[in-house]
Amino acid sequence: KKKMSNQKLGYGERLTEDELKKRWTADKVIPAPTFDTHVPNKLVEENIFRLVAPENQELPTFESSKSLLPVPFWEGHDDAVSCYWRTWEIAFSNLRKPTKENGFVSNYIDTAFNNCLFMWDSSFIVMFGRYAGHQFSSTFHNTLNNIYACQHSDGFMCREIRESDGKDMWSRYDTCSTGPNILAWAEWESFCNTGDENRLKNIFPILLAFHQWFRENRSWQDGSYFSCGGGCGMDNQPRQLNKEMSKKAVFYCHGHMSWIDTTFQQVLNCEILIRMANILKRHNEIKDLIDEKEKLKTTINEKMWNENIEFYCDKSSDGKLSNIKTIGAYWGLLTNSIDEQKLSKFISHLSDEKAFNRPHRVPSLSADHENYSADGGYWLGAVWAPTNAKNIELLMKLV
């Protein structure tokens, strides 16, 4: 430290490590004046969850609810059945009530990670909760109401919201501040079970405003979208084409790339919002979505298909395609944007033992990648329930 402090930097002596630490951990927040950069979206004015008072209903318990839940029968697989019931028990134990401090409006299920509500996890929880049937599915589904209640005036919704005070964990212009944008998919799947058009009416303007924010703040000139490790939900996958990026940069930075999963998810979002608008007779609000969907379909098939490995891949700003086969690319199978001539080649990797056909299917990263980890390594090959739920959904779509 003494040696460093004696080094001349042209303006005087260099600060010691202790002095540097003090300087760069100091509070840098400018108290006033600050500027509100939100550009209000009129659709947000239709968001009823920003206005309603919180519900005050007692939480159901597993013990009182078990007799009303679906009962599996699978002879000779008692362990699997026990696991099923244990899953419900855990789910009910994580139910929470809104508080005055967090400003939430509905009972909800905690993500059970860090006392924050996550957009990505909550969307998949809706998929699970719908199997609770009429009695309790709304308890799980209404978790999303709390994310909607925290929507900004410009349409933004944060991917991680503190349960203590309802504050966003990220500034909205941080690359990792939001996503994956699968809320519309979760709502649509629920609607297919319930047929609740009133719910559809309430959430459509919220989701359309969010899509518009996403397009304004997360897309490139060719219409494709970007994200980062944190924003795409697959934190540590080695997606960056710049291999010298640090692990921290992988989580926070977009790398000036078009991200294949995020781009496919936006196609899916367009398609679902169009379906919703048709049911609600709000046709005049979706022309841009129809145009965007077609533009993205062209961009994906012409610019993001890697012919060398026969897979849809991330694309760098100079047009170079990555060689990583990520489970995220298979979001495309939930859309109508896959070129028919590419479909069988794309799906074949799921049956390839060197790629995704592992003893435990389906890994999040193909086994033939140099960073694949046999023990999972988080998103370096681990098998995740949410992505497998999506895989089952897409494979059923193809049957």
Side-chain angles (χ1 to χ4, degrees):
K1 291 178 182 178
K2 184 176 181 181
K3 182 179 179 181
M4 291 180 68
S5 67
N6 290 332
Q7 293 175 351
K8 298 292 185 181
L9 300 179
Y11 297 95
E13 293 186 350
R14 179 185 176 115
L15 297 178
T16 66
E17 288 296 293
D18 287 340
E19 290 169 331
L20 284 170
K21 184 177 180 181
K22 183 177 180 180
R23 169 180 284 184
W24 294 112
T25 56
D27 185 4
K28 297 292 181 181
V29 176
I30 302 173
T34 57
F35 296 92
D36 181 3
T37 60
H38 291 81
V39 179
N41 187 324
K42 289 189 69 66
L43 287 164
V44 178
E45 296 176 9
E46 299 181 52
N47 183 345
I48 66 169
F49 302 105
R50 285 165 43 105
L51 307 173
V52 298
E55 69 173 323
N56 185 23
Q57 296 185 10
E58 291 303 312
L59 297 172
T61 65
F62 173 71
E63 291 74 17
S64 64
S65 308
K66 184 176 180 180
S67 63
L68 299 173
L69 293 170
V71 179
F73 53 94
W74 195 10
E75 188 175 347
H77 296 83
D78 292 346
D79 286 349
V81 173
S82 296
C83 181
Y84 166 84
W85 288 117
R86 177 58 179 153
T87 303
W88 278 118
E89 187 176 5
I90 294 171
F92 275 86
S93 71
N94 282 296
L95 294 179
R96 303 285 185 269
K97 299 183 72 171
T99 67
K100 182 179 179 180
E101 290 74 23
N102 62 30
F104 291 172
V105 296
S106 299
N107 291 345
Y108 64 98
I109 181 168
D110 175 33
T111 306
F113 181 63
N114 65 351
N115 296 315
C116 288
L117 201 59
F118 281 78
M119 178 183 293
W120 158 261
D121 302 77
S122 296
S123 297
F124 282 112
I125 288 171
V126 167
M127 303 293 192
F128 175 80
R130 62 183 170 163
Y131 292 102
H134 171 71
Q135 293 87 353
F136 309 113
S137 60
S138 62
T139 305
F140 298 93
H141 191 177
N142 288 349
T143 297
L144 301 184
N145 296 354
N146 300 317
I147 296 175
Y148 302 152
C150 297
Q151 185 173 40
H152 292 221
S153 62
D154 61 355
F156 170 79
M157 290 183 284
C158 191
R159 71 177 181 87
E160 184 179 357
I161 302 170
R162 286 200 303 242
E163 295 174 10
S164 59
D165 58 9
K167 298 288 183 65
D168 294 347
M169 286 290 288
W170 309 92
S171 166
R172 70 193 198 286
Y173 290 131
D174 290 338
T175 308
C176 61
S177 66
T178 193
N181 184 11
I182 59 171
L183 291 167
W185 177 55
E187 291 284 3
W188 180 256
E189 290 299 313
S190 178
F191 171 74
C192 290
N193 278 71
T194 66
D196 186 351
E197 287 193 25
N198 190 55
R199 172 79 184 182
L200 217 59
K201 177 183 177 182
N202 288 334
I203 56 93
F204 174 77
I206 299 169
L207 299 175
L208 181 56
F210 183 45
H211 183 93
Q212 292 173 354
W213 186 93
F214 219 90
R215 183 172 57 208
E216 179 69 21
N217 294 279
R218 292 291 185 272
S219 65
W220 300 120
Q221 286 182 316
D222 64 358
S224 61
Y225 284 78
F226 64 86
S227 187
C228 60
C232 78
M234 299 182 290
D235 306 16
N236 67 330
Q237 273 200 353
R239 305 276 293 274
Q240 302 285 359
L241 289 168
N242 179 0
K243 300 304 180 184
E244 296 181 1
M245 273 195 170
S246 66
K247 291 182 179 179
K248 190 171 184 179
V250 167
F251 185 89
Y252 290 111
C253 300
H254 54 62
H256 294 99
M257 300 183 340
S258 297
W259 291 59
I260 189 62
D261 48 344
T262 309
T263 303
F264 267 136
Q265 286 160 4
Q266 288 301 101
V267 177
L268 178 62
N269 213 50
C270 284
E271 293 179 353
I272 291 174
L273 288 172
I274 290 168
R275 292 176 211 161
M276 290 181 176
N278 288 333
I279 292 172
L280 299 171
K281 296 181 171 49
R282 298 184 67 158
H283 311 95
N284 61 327
E285 298 174 78
I286 57 170
K287 184 182 183 303
D288 60 327
L289 297 180
I290 296 171
D291 294 342
E292 181 184 11
K293 176 173 66 74
E294 293 305 313
K295 181 179 180 180
L296 285 176
K297 180 178 180 179
T298 300
T299 297
I300 288 169
N301 284 290
E302 293 185 357
K303 298 182 179 180
M304 302 183 77
W305 172 256
N306 189 329
E307 189 62 43
N308 294 328
I309 61 173
E310 298 180 332
F311 205 81
Y312 287 100
C313 296
D314 302 326
K315 177 176 68 71
S316 68
S317 57
D318 62 2
K320 181 181 178 181
L321 294 173
S322 76
N323 289 314
I324 183 174
K325 295 193 283 287
T326 168
I327 197 63
Y330 284 107
W331 281 100
L333 293 180
L334 288 176
T335 74
N336 295 313
S337 60
I338 300 292
D339 190 314
E340 288 186 8
Q341 296 180 337
K342 298 178 172 67
L343 182 59
S344 60
K345 299 175 184 178
F346 185 43
I347 295 174
S348 68
H349 296 281
L350 293 171
S351 301
D352 184 355
E353 294 182 357
K354 295 180 180 179
F356 293 107
N357 184 9
R358 309 300 294 169
H360 296 286
R361 299 168 73 175
V362 177
S364 47
L365 180 67
S366 64
D368 54 6
H369 191 275
E370 60 182 351
N371 292 109
Y372 173 82
S373 175
D375 63 359
Y378 209 48
W379 287 96
L380 299 178
V383 178
W384 288 76
T387 50
N388 264 3
K390 178 260 297 180
N391 294 334
I392 293 170
E393 185 83 18
L394 63 87
L395 291 173
M396 287 176 65
K397 182 176 182 287
L398 294 172
V399 173

